[in-house]
């Protein structure tokens, strides 16, 4: 069954259709959030996202565009959490940086490098490569022109490459 059909059925009140949507998209949404935030906050924000989805699903006008709509909600939730975190850190003037642990495996090193990218570039990289969304979907989710998505992708790849090269990884 397609996402579009599941959305329509969920909008009509069918709980099984909503459960199937959640089951289908729970892991991709959590993975996106986890790549943007730490694990502890990812769980909380993911729950907030699904609450927002349940509340807003009846108003979704284009059921075929469920994935970009879902990731728009996820993006907004992540952005809100980051804003509140940065506001707290700025208010306390406590510049506590995480003690980076040297990664021994490539995946851990890549995730570390990814976390050091500026949020706009990290977000586009995650949406495009890890969530496999198109440039147009990324543009819609982030509310920016497609050209900006492409330039952020270019910058993100360059920054990621530079970071990995500094750590001794060569392409």
């Amino acid at each position: 069954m397609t996402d579009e059909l599941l959305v329509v059925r969920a909008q009509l009140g069918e709980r099984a259709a909503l459960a199937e949507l959640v089951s289908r998209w729970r892991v991709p949404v959590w993975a996106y959030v986890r790549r943007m935030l730490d694990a502890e906050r990812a769980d909380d924000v993911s729950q907030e996202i699904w609450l927002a989805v349940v509340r807003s699903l009846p108003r979704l006008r284009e059921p075929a565009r469920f994935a970009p709509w879902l990731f728009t909600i996820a993006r907004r939730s992540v952005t809100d959490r980051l804003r509140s975190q940065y506001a707290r850190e700025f208010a306390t003037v406590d510049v506590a940086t995480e003690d980076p642990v040297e990664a021994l495996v490539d995946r851990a090193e890549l995730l570390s490098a990814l976390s050091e990218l500026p949020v706009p570039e990290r977000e586009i990289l995650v949406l495009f490569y890890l969530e496999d969304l198109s440039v147009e979907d990324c543009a819609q989710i982030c509310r920016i022109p497609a050209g900006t998505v492409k330039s952020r992708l270019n910058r993100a790849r360059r920054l990621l490459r530079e970071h990995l090269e500094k750590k001794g990884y060569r392409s």
Side-chain angles (χ1 to χ4, degrees):
M1 191 175 314
T2 66
D3 286 344
E4 181 177 10
L5 183 56
L6 286 171
V7 168
V8 171
R9 291 173 74 173
Q11 288 175 325
L12 293 172
E14 189 176 311
R15 290 176 153 229
L18 179 61
E20 176 65 25
L21 277 172
V22 172
S23 173
R24 193 176 284 187
W25 287 98
R26 183 183 54 79
V27 171
V29 166
W30 186 88
Y32 165 74
V33 174
R34 175 60 184 98
R35 290 174 182 125
M36 300 299 293
L37 303 170
D38 59 59
E40 181 181 322
R41 291 183 297 166
D43 290 338
D44 293 342
V45 171
S46 292
Q47 288 178 2
E48 293 169 12
I49 291 165
W50 287 110
L51 286 172
V53 166
V54 169
R55 284 188 207 118
S56 303
L57 193 62
R59 294 186 302 276
L60 177 60
R61 292 186 182 148
E62 296 181 60
R65 305 283 300 153
F66 177 74
W69 176 80
L70 173 61
F71 280 100
T72 299
I73 291 172
R75 176 184 188 263
R76 194 174 309 123
S77 296
V78 166
T79 302
D80 289 348
R81 185 59 62 101
L82 287 171
R83 276 191 193 123
S84 67
Q85 172 194 345
Y86 295 148
R88 277 192 309 273
E89 288 175 5
F90 183 75
T92 61
V93 191
D94 181 16
V95 186
T97 57
E98 293 182 31
D99 181 24
V101 177
E102 194 62 40
L104 298 176
V105 291
D106 291 343
R107 180 170 169 77
E109 188 63 37
L110 180 60
L111 289 174
S112 170
L114 189 60
S115 71
E116 292 182 20
L117 289 177
V119 172
E121 284 75 12
R122 180 182 350 152
E123 176 178 52
I124 292 297
L125 201 70
V126 167
L127 289 171
F128 185 78
Y129 286 110
L130 303 177
E131 299 305 331
D132 201 29
L133 294 171
S134 68
V135 168
E136 293 75 23
D137 286 345
C138 293
Q140 180 185 356
I141 291 166
C142 297
R143 295 181 179 168
I144 57 176
T148 304
V149 170
K150 292 175 185 176
S151 66
R152 285 185 185 173
L153 276 171
N154 188 32
R155 182 168 189 262
R157 286 188 295 257
R158 181 178 48 77
L159 292 170
L160 193 57
R161 187 179 320 109
E162 289 171 0
H163 176 80
L164 292 173
E165 286 175 355
K166 271 195 268 183
K167 294 287 185 176
Y169 291 88
R170 299 285 177 215
S171 50

